[in-house]
Amino acid sequence: MVGYDPKPDGRNNTRFQVAVAGSVSGLVTRALISPFDVIKIRFQLQHERLSRRDPNAKYHGILQAIRQILREEGPTAFWKGHIPAQILSIGYGAVQVYNTLRHAVGTMYRNEGPLVFYKGLTPTLIAIFPYAGLQFSCYSSLKHMYEWAMPAEGKKNENLKNLLCGSGAGVISKTLTYPLDLFKKRLQVGGFEHARAAFGQVRKYKGLVDCTKQVLQEEGTLGFFKGLSPSLLKAALSTGFMFFWYELFCNIFHCMNKTTSQR
């Protein structure tokens, strides 16, 4: 969380408890926003327009996608891929190897070799530096705007300023670098075209440049931003949930410490 002071003011939490609160808040937040991630990826991989006017389009809106996924795959479909995502979110601790994850890794390795795990690496690496740079520069600019626009009494709440400016910076930087995320997803599913046949048209890409050309020619400039709306909704909710759960767990630890010290 950009610019947020992780010190729990007025609470006697240990550094370990603060670290646990941050990790658990990440775990809970990831679980809550997983459905938006699933919808975003479905939109990114759909070659047809996200419009009701396209008769071949499987998905054309967030609510329609939610209803269709529920009807066809059940509620558990919104947490597909959740286990590896949680492993990335928690950041530490013992990792239990699940059968589904082990099977997926084994199948991918046997069929395509070790390089299969690095598909989409090029757009990922390209996006890292502009995303980080945009995030910090936008955050700084938004803070100056906040100071200029907010009345004096409103400037006392530093956490609110950090939350609003951090969320705004995240939304702006995510929007500007979003096409690279779409290219990454398209390249990552290469070799699994047969599995996507039920979802609509499939394409094969030779690399990042070829993917960019095909998307531009067949889907237009708007094709670069498929799935942006659930992505931004996810980003906004993620920031809010992270702060909420972090503060909640810090307060729980504070109450536990206070009870222990009074004994």
Side-chain angles (χ1 to χ4, degrees):
M1 291 177 286
V2 179
Y4 183 69
D5 183 5
K7 295 179 181 179
D9 296 332
R11 295 177 293 215
N12 61 339
N13 294 20
T14 65
R15 291 184 178 180
F16 176 74
Q17 288 174 333
V18 170
V20 171
S23 296
V24 177
S25 65
L27 186 151
V28 176
T29 298
R30 169 65 68 175
L32 292 173
I33 65 172
S34 180
F36 293 101
D37 213 24
V38 170
I39 294 170
K40 180 199 76 170
I41 294 172
R42 298 285 178 100
F43 285 4
Q44 286 179 325
L45 299 181
Q46 179 171 297
H47 297 281
E48 296 83 1
R49 288 184 303 162
L50 295 171
S51 172
R52 294 180 180 178
R53 288 175 289 183
D54 189 337
N56 297 317
K58 187 175 181 68
Y59 306 115
H60 50 72
I62 295 177
L63 293 178
Q64 177 269 336
I66 291 173
R67 289 194 297 267
Q68 185 144 350
I69 292 172
L70 276 173
R71 185 172 60 251
E72 296 180 351
E73 305 171 57
T76 57
F78 292 112
W79 283 270
K80 286 183 176 178
H82 181 61
I83 293 169
Q86 281 289 19
I87 292 172
L88 290 175
S89 295
I90 297 171
Y92 72 92
V95 176
Q96 181 180 359
V97 179
Y98 290 80
N99 289 331
T100 53
L101 179 59
R102 185 171 61 237
H103 174 71
V105 171
T107 302
M108 292 168 67
Y109 183 83
R110 285 194 303 272
N111 292 344
E112 301 187 59
L115 291 180
V116 69
F117 300 112
Y118 297 93
K119 284 183 176 181
L121 180 62
T122 302
T124 300
L125 294 177
I126 294 174
I128 288 174
F129 297 106
Y131 181 79
L134 285 167
Q135 196 171 37
F136 282 106
S137 61
C138 290
Y139 177 70
S140 178
S141 299
L142 289 173
K143 279 207 303 184
H144 286 107
M145 292 175 62
Y146 182 93
E147 294 288 345
W148 174 78
M150 186 61 64
E153 58 272 15
K155 295 179 181 179
K156 297 178 182 179
N157 194 333
E158 288 293 315
N159 285 339
L160 177 62
K161 179 180 74 174
N162 293 335
L163 174 61
L164 293 177
C165 296
S167 298
V171 167
I172 294 171
S173 54
K174 169 66 75 175
T175 302
L176 294 176
T177 59
Y178 187 80
L180 290 167
D181 188 45
L182 182 135
F183 300 148
K184 178 185 74 172
K185 295 298 191 301
R186 294 281 180 100
L187 293 172
Q188 283 177 331
V189 297
F192 296 91
E193 289 81 5
H194 62 284
R196 291 206 64 255
F199 292 91
Q201 300 178 40
V202 293
R203 295 286 186 276
K204 290 186 178 182
Y205 304 111
K206 298 176 183 177
L208 176 59
V209 175
D210 181 53
C211 180
T212 305
K213 288 181 178 178
Q214 286 199 45
V215 172
L216 183 61
Q217 291 172 358
E218 299 177 7
E219 304 170 57
T221 53
L222 290 179
F224 294 139
F225 296 93
K226 283 183 175 177
L228 179 62
S229 53
S231 179
L232 295 182
L233 185 57
K234 167 197 160 187
L237 290 174
S238 175
T239 303
F241 281 141
M242 280 292 291
F243 276 101
F244 172 79
W245 291 112
Y246 173 79
E247 293 292 346
L248 176 64
F249 288 119
C250 279
N251 285 329
I252 291 173
F253 285 132
H254 171 67
C255 292
M256 291 170 59
N257 293 340
K258 192 175 180 180
T259 302
T260 303
S261 63
Q262 291 175 348
R263 288 178 181 175

